[in-house]
């Protein structure tokens, strides 16, 4: 009897092993014609190894350079570094839709938001309800609100971070830019800045807490079975809550506090707070309260880290390119002596400065603020880069490969060169702008809702900082540390800020 049971167990194990091997072989065979690292076709170990390293974004660029514009990086994953194909895939009528990669960012398994919803029709319906808020419909002018935070940034620098010939007072640009964008988005979105710039610290521990889950979430994005496990009733008690004292809890608590004020905290109508801002637009729409909280979370999280990344990297690229640095300051000085408003330049004037705009485009192009693979899939077979891609294959983009496409941006596409935007002929400029627009998914159904505000911040901050100060990295051999898990976390970006000395001796 025991012998028979052992025999049955042995056959069961062999059968399961055979099933596993056959399944893997069938999965491998579907995409065997697409080049890529040999191990990537059999398991996700290759992919996850580079996810854990925090260098997947650069590895995908290297892989596209080695194997071609379409590369297999997992059993059911390919990435594309061809800008023409990515623009088509992301197009409104392409037939592609989001994969379950996006669902990894849900903090509430029962509530979708504009970043996590995968169905195209449902996404469009939700987006149409959010659009008026991000467009500023029925709200106060946002520009004076942004100006106030730019002035607070300048006040902080003047108070603590001006270096001299004898004394260096390094500023951690990684944190300071995040303080700026946190205060700006809470002022514009929720009617009141949280006060990071005044305190010059992560007063709620929110920034650090939001960086901590980036790696686990990045892993979950590629392992759907883990998403289901984490979303199950067994794990729900372990998910972050607004009442938690650590982790993401305080971040959720900040959101809940803002939302509770608009609903009166469950009290009488007269206790409700009304403001002309993004959050009020959410509340006044037909969104449920849980949806308002979820979308407010997207506003605060999505509107801060990406803009901060764009600001600090553009400043960094300029410090490493003396010719571009001098050309930008020359344009700024010319604008300052003519019609630039004080104390903060008007956005319509800043937007008219060609070299300033070119520097911002180059900074965002060379290091896109969001470099997750952002997988899409189609229910039908397709042909990408001349290769057949079966239905349901997950197709991501290799952001750095797309943004350094030499056919579009020239042979020096991997170099920070703002003049490319000024010297290009009309046809080339249109092509560059179309590809560069993918940074914010411009022209697609997934276009960034906060793009307009981000550009206002970028133009004003870069102009005002380079009008007043000179910048140099404190440790140029190792200017900062970074990891990327879709978003880039940068640390110890220590920069030396000195007041500019003009030919007439004035500062």
């Amino acid at each position: 009897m025991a012998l028979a049971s052992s025999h049955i167990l042995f056959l069961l194990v062999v059968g399961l092993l055979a099933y596993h091997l056959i399944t893997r072989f069938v999965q491998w065979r579907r995409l065997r014609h697409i080049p890529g690292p040999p191990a990537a076709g059999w398991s996700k170990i290759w992919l996850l190894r580079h996810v854990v390293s925090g260098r997947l974004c650069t590895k995908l660029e290297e892989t596209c350079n080695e194997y071609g514009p379409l590369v297999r990086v997992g059993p059911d994953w390919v990435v594309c570094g061809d800008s023409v194909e990515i623009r088509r895939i992301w197009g409104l009528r392409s037939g592609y839709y989001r994969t379950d990669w996006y669902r990894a960012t849900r903090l509430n398994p029962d509530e979708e938001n504009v970043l996590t919803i995968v169905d195209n029709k449902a996404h469009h319906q939700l987006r149409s309800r959010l659009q008026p808020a991000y467009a500023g419909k029925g709200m106060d002018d946002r520009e004076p609100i942004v100006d106030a935070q730019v002035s607070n940034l300048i006040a902080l620098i003047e108070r603590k971070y001006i270096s001299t010939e004898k004394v260096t007072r390094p500023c951690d640009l990684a944190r300071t830019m995040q303080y700026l964008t946190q205060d700006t988005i809470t002022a514009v979105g929720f009617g009141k800045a949280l006060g990071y710039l005044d305190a010059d610290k992560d007063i709620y521990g929110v920034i650090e807490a939001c960086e901590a889950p980036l790696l686990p979430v990045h892993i979950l994005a590629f392992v759907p079975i883990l998403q289901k496990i984490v979303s199950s009733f067994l794990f729900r008690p372990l998910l972050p809550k607004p009442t938690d004292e650590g982790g993401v809890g305080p971040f959720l608590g900040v959101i809940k506090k803002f939302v509770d004020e608009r609903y009166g905290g469950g009290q009488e109508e007269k206790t409700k707070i009304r403001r002309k801002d993004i959050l009020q637009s959410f509340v006044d729409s037909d969104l449920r309260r849980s949806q308002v909280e979820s979308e407010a979370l997207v506003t605060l999280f999505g509107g801060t880290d990406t803009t901060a990344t764009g600001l600090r990297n553009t400043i960094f690229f300029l410090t490493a390119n003396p010719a571009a640095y001098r050309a930008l300051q020359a344009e700024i000085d010319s604008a300052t002596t003519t019609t630039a408003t004080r104390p903060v330049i008007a956005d319509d004037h800043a937007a008219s400065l060609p070299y300033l705009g070119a520097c911002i485009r180059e900074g965002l192009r060379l290091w896109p603020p969001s470099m997750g693979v952002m997988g899409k899939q189609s229910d039908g077979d397709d042909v990408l880069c001349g290769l057949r891609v079966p239905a349901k294959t997950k197709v991501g983009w290799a952001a750095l490969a797309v943004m350094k496409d030499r056919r579009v941006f020239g042979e020096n596409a991997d170099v920070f060169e703002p003049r490319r935007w000024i010297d290009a002929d009309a046809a080339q400029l249109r092509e560059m702008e179309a590809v560069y627009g993918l940074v914010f998914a411009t022209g697609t159904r997934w276009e960034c809702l906060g793009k307009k505000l981000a550009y206002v911040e970028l133009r004003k901050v870069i102009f005002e900082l380079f009008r007043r100060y000179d910048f140099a990295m404190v440790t140029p051999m190792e200017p900062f540390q970074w990891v990327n898990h879709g978003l880039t976390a940068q640390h110890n970006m220590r920069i030396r800020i000195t007041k500019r000395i003009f030919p007439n001796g004035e500062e």
Side-chain angles (χ1 to χ4, degrees):
M1 186 70 177
L3 184 61
S5 299
S6 299
H7 184 65
I8 293 173
L9 181 60
F10 173 75
L11 291 177
L12 181 61
V13 170
V14 170
L16 290 174
L17 181 60
Y19 173 79
H20 176 73
L21 291 175
I22 292 171
T23 302
R24 283 298 178 93
F25 176 77
V26 171
Q27 195 172 44
W28 168 83
R29 193 171 180 273
R30 285 182 73 245
L31 302 176
R32 70 188 185 281
H33 57 290
I34 298 177
W42 293 96
S43 78
K44 292 181 179 178
I45 292 176
W46 182 92
L47 188 59
L48 294 176
R49 179 162 62 90
H50 296 294
V51 166
V52 171
S53 74
R55 295 291 195 272
L56 180 62
C57 58
T58 53
K59 190 62 183 179
L60 293 181
E61 179 191 11
E62 294 171 9
T63 306
C64 285
N65 290 338
E66 179 179 355
Y67 291 98
L70 189 70
V71 182
R72 185 181 195 174
V73 295
D76 55 349
W77 273 95
V78 299
V79 294
C80 182
D82 185 293
S83 59
V84 174
E85 296 288 21
I86 291 298
R87 285 165 57 192
R88 180 175 69 81
I89 291 168
W90 291 11
L92 293 173
R93 296 175 179 83
S94 69
Y96 280 81
Y97 54 93
R98 286 171 165 175
T99 69
D100 48 19
W101 181 90
Y102 287 86
R103 286 189 165 141
T105 59
R106 288 184 302 178
L107 290 177
N108 180 353
D110 297 322
E111 196 65 73
E112 298 279 11
N113 59 57
V114 73
L115 293 183
T116 65
I117 198 165
V118 298
D119 180 77
N120 283 345
K121 184 177 180 180
H123 175 267
H124 174 74
Q125 291 172 344
L126 177 58
R127 183 186 171 88
S128 65
R129 284 182 273 176
L130 301 175
Q131 184 68 45
Y134 286 98
K137 186 176 180 181
M139 300 180 195
D140 295 330
D141 185 4
R142 298 177 178 185
E143 192 166 345
I145 301 174
V146 177
D147 289 352
Q149 301 314 314
V150 175
S151 296
N152 285 345
L153 171 65
I154 293 166
L156 171 61
I157 292 172
E158 294 283 343
R159 188 169 70 246
K160 295 184 65 174
Y161 296 118
I162 295 297
S163 295
T164 64
E165 291 182 0
K166 296 182 179 180
V167 179
T168 296
R169 299 184 178 92
C171 173
D172 184 357
L173 203 63
R175 278 289 181 258
T176 302
M177 288 298 109
Q178 205 125 22
Y179 297 160
L180 167 70
T181 55
Q182 286 275 348
D183 276 352
T184 300
I185 199 63
T186 50
V188 171
F190 307 141
K192 181 181 178 182
L194 287 177
Y196 285 92
L197 289 170
D198 290 336
D200 191 26
K201 65 178 182 179
D202 187 3
I203 48 181
Y204 294 98
V206 165
I207 296 172
E208 186 175 348
C210 288
E211 289 179 352
L214 288 179
L215 173 57
V217 167
H218 205 189
I219 293 172
L220 287 175
F222 291 103
V223 189
I225 186 64
L226 289 181
Q227 293 181 31
K228 293 179 180 179
I229 292 172
V230 171
S231 300
S232 69
F233 72 95
L234 293 173
F235 277 81
R236 291 197 181 199
L238 303 177
L239 293 175
K241 298 178 287 297
T243 53
D244 293 343
E245 295 182 359
V248 184
F251 182 66
L252 299 179
V254 170
I255 296 295
K256 188 175 187 305
K257 179 177 179 293
F258 277 122
V259 174
D260 284 348
E261 289 175 346
R262 305 306 170 93
Y263 286 94
Q267 303 299 317
E268 297 296 325
E269 177 77 20
K270 62 182 180 180
T271 66
K272 294 181 181 180
I273 294 176
R274 290 191 60 84
R275 293 191 175 102
K276 294 182 178 181
D277 55 23
I278 292 174
L279 181 57
Q280 194 63 53
S281 181
F282 292 167
V283 172
D284 292 341
S285 71
D286 60 350
L287 296 175
R288 301 185 311 275
R289 181 165 177 168
S290 59
Q291 285 181 299
V292 169
E293 290 184 2
S294 184
E295 296 304 334
L297 178 66
V298 170
T299 300
L300 184 54
F301 187 66
T304 58
D305 192 272
T306 50
T307 307
T309 297
L311 283 167
R312 56 202 180 204
N313 283 330
T314 300
I315 293 171
F316 167 69
F317 288 135
L318 283 163
T319 65
N321 292 269
Y325 189 114
R326 290 191 297 267
L328 174 63
Q329 284 193 328
E331 182 179 73
I332 289 172
D333 292 346
S334 177
T336 302
T337 58
T338 54
T339 58
T341 55
R342 304 292 291 272
V344 177
I345 188 172
D347 184 58
D348 58 354
H349 188 188
S352 72
L353 301 177
Y355 204 82
L356 173 63
C359 288
I360 290 169
R361 288 192 191 97
E362 280 293 272
L364 296 175
R365 180 185 72 84
L366 281 181
W367 199 264
S370 180
M371 289 194 283
V373 297
M374 294 188 276
K376 310 295 190 296
Q377 65 186 38
S378 171
D379 290 332
D381 292 353
D382 198 1
V383 176
L384 300 177
C385 305
L387 297 171
R388 182 181 61 84
V389 177
K392 301 294 185 180
T393 300
K394 299 173 182 179
V395 183
W397 80 319
L400 291 174
V402 170
M403 290 298 153
K404 296 178 184 179
D405 190 335
R406 286 180 168 81
R407 298 171 304 170
V408 178
F409 297 104
E411 289 303 312
N412 65 342
D414 56 347
V415 174
F416 183 86
E417 179 48 82
R419 291 242 30 122
R420 79 175 78 250
W421 298 96
I422 297 170
D423 297 338
D425 60 40
Q428 183 185 9
L429 182 60
R430 282 195 300 272
E431 182 67 14
M432 289 196 303
E433 287 179 338
V435 176
Y436 159 78
L438 295 172
V439 167
F440 289 109
T442 302
T444 78
R445 68 171 69 250
W446 304 288
E447 183 171 346
C448 174
L449 287 165
K451 179 179 70 172
K452 182 178 179 180
L453 178 61
Y455 275 123
V456 172
E457 290 182 78
L458 285 160
R459 288 189 288 259
K460 286 177 176 287
V461 172
I462 298 297
F463 182 95
E464 294 301 333
L465 290 184
F466 280 85
R467 179 169 77 86
R468 291 170 167 83
Y469 309 116
D470 280 318
F471 300 88
M473 303 310 297
V474 173
T475 54
M477 296 298 289
E478 189 179 0
F480 52 87
Q481 292 85 49
W482 67 274
V483 293
N484 181 279
H485 295 297
L487 301 176
T488 302
Q490 291 167 296
H491 300 281
N492 298 319
M493 198 173 190
R494 299 166 71 237
I495 198 165
R496 185 173 185 267
I497 306 174
T498 55
K499 289 190 175 183
R500 290 183 65 193
I501 305 297
F502 295 92
N504 60 7
E506 293 182 358
E507 293 186 349

